[in-house]
Every structure is written in C-alpha cells, then in structure tokens.
C-alpha cells in the first residue's frame, strides 16, 4: 500500500516539475496574486482527472488516437504556444510593466481559467505523461494498490500546483520593479517558443 502510494506520488511529481507553459502561467498568477486558489485548484483537478482516466484503462484508446493525429495535435498546440509567447515577448519590451504597489485591473477569473485550460488541455505532453505513461505504469499494481498509486500521483499535482502558486508570493518583493517583470516575461516567452519548436519537431513539421 505505502509503496504504491509513494511510487505514484514521486512519479507524478517527477513528470510535473518540468517548467512548462502551464507552470509558468501559474507562477505568474501567483506573483500577481490573481485567482491563486482557483488556478491551482483547476490545474490540480485537471491533472487528477487525466490520471484517473489513464489508470482505469482508457489510455489504450487515447494512445492510438494521439499517434494517429499527432501531427495535427502537435502543430495546433505549437501555434497556441507561439501566440502566447509573442504576447509575453511584447510585454517584455513595453516601456511600462506591472507594479504590484499600484492599482491595476486584474484579469477576470473566467479569462484566467480559459488561458490555463488551454495550456493544460492543448498540450499533447499532458496526455502522454498523465494518461499514457502513468496509466501504463499503474498496470503493474493490482486491486487496492492501483488505487493507492493513483491517489499518490494525484496528490503530487495538488502539492505542486498549490506550492508554486502560493510560494510565488515570496517573489513579490523582487517583482516590484519593471525590469524584473521584463525579465520574467522574456523568460516565459523563451519557454513558450522552446516548447513550441519541440512540439513542431515531434509532430514532424520541422
């Protein structure tokens, strides 16, 4: 029981800690202190749902689907990442940036959720990691141990997303100057472009 739980937790954590589009957005929202709880909750529940889908065996069907339409899926996802990367790249070169000490109009909750939803569900890797990989590895466990494995993997998502969302507050004092915001926006843009190019390469577009 404990072994399955720990295996699931650390496997889930190892797959999710890589800095990607979703993590970068959650980190930025955490620094801005905008809808932190709901963003972290949405990402955690989304991961948990995909993990559960994989563990119960649907991964066998999605595996064929992803491989069959890989080029289209990867290409569409890359376009989305490039688009958001361009927005952050433009923000990095604006004369003014966000100052947390000033009153600024935050994005609505619906707008923020829609953005993070796109980063979550338009990313082919999230299906490969949560549904295919975790779903396949879970098959080595049987009966209740498989459930404990799934619980461990799902718990990792909750720990990670709430950790970086609320932990980002520690960066708030540093992010009071426009220069630091430009650096963050520039780094996020680079992350988006890098992931986008990788998706194009994996999809056979380049």
């Amino acid at each position: 029981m404990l072994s399955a739980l720990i295996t699931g937790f650390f496997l889930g954590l190892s797959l999710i800690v890589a800095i990607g589009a979703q993590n970068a957005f959650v980190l930025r929202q955490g620094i801005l202190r905008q809808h932190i709880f709901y963003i972290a909750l949405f990402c955690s529940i989304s991961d948990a749902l995909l993990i559960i889908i994989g563990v119960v065996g649907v991964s066998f069907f999605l595996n064929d689907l992803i491989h069959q339409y890989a080029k289209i899926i990867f290409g569409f996802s890359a376009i989305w990442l490039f688009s958001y990367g361009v927005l952050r790249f433009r923000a990095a070169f604006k004369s003014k940036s966000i100052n947390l000490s000033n009153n600024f109009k935050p994005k609505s909750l619906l707008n923020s959720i829609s953005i993070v939803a796109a980063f979550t569900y338009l990313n082919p890797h999230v299906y490969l990691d949560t549904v295919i990989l975790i779903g396949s590895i879970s098959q080595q466990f049987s009966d209740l141990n498989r459930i404990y494995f799934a619980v461990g993997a799902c718990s990792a998502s909750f720990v990670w997303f709430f950790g970086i969302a609320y932990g980002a507050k520690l960066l708030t004092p540093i992010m009071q100057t426009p220069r630091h915001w430009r650096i963050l926006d520039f780094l996020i843009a680079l992350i988006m472009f890098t992931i986008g190019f990788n998706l194009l390469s994996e999809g056979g577009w380049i």
Side-chain angles (χ1 to χ4, degrees):
M1 177 188 76
L2 185 60
S3 175
L5 187 70
I6 294 175
T7 300
F9 180 84
F10 283 104
L11 174 63
L13 196 63
S14 66
L15 292 174
I16 202 172
V17 295
I19 297 299
Q22 185 189 50
N23 287 338
F25 183 79
V26 174
L27 181 63
R28 191 172 190 275
Q29 291 298 108
I31 295 173
L32 289 174
R33 293 170 289 183
Q34 290 184 7
H35 316 301
I36 303 174
F37 175 81
Y38 297 105
I39 294 294
L41 184 64
F42 178 87
C43 292
S44 302
I45 291 177
S46 296
D47 258 23
L49 286 175
L50 292 172
I51 289 171
I52 292 171
I53 289 173
V55 171
V56 297
V58 181
S59 57
F60 295 108
F61 301 100
L62 292 182
N63 189 26
D64 294 335
L65 184 66
I66 290 176
H67 282 89
Q68 184 177 356
Y69 297 101
K71 188 169 185 177
I72 296 175
I73 295 173
F74 280 60
F76 187 77
S77 301
I79 291 174
W80 166 258
L81 291 174
F82 284 136
S83 299
Y84 190 80
V86 169
L87 292 178
R88 298 269 55 86
F89 195 72
R90 287 178 58 190
F93 286 94
K94 282 184 177 180
S95 57
K96 294 182 179 180
S97 190
I98 296 173
N99 190 324
L100 298 181
S101 62
N102 295 334
N103 292 321
F104 62 91
K105 184 178 180 181
K107 288 185 174 67
S108 67
L109 176 60
L110 181 61
N111 182 273
S112 298
I113 292 294
S114 64
I115 292 175
V116 77
F119 284 144
T120 301
Y121 293 106
L122 292 181
N123 177 15
H125 287 263
V126 75
Y127 300 101
L128 295 173
D129 289 344
T130 58
V131 180
I132 306 302
L133 183 57
I134 293 181
S136 299
I137 293 177
S138 70
Q139 304 307 310
Q140 68 180 290
F141 299 99
S142 59
D143 303 326
L144 285 177
N145 281 331
R146 187 176 299 176
I147 296 177
Y148 289 123
F149 173 85
V151 170
C154 292
S155 299
S157 295
F158 281 86
V159 170
W160 173 254
F161 284 117
F162 277 94
I164 63 172
Y166 284 96
K169 287 184 176 181
L170 299 175
L171 297 176
T172 300
I174 302 174
M175 304 306 294
Q176 293 289 344
T177 63
R179 183 172 68 90
H180 290 138
W181 271 105
R182 292 191 185 102
I183 293 173
L184 178 64
D185 283 331
F186 184 73
L187 289 176
I188 291 176
L190 286 181
I191 291 172
M192 303 301 167
F193 292 147
T194 301
I195 298 174
F197 278 116
N198 286 338
L199 289 178
L200 290 178
S201 177
E202 292 182 36
W205 291 95
I206 56 176

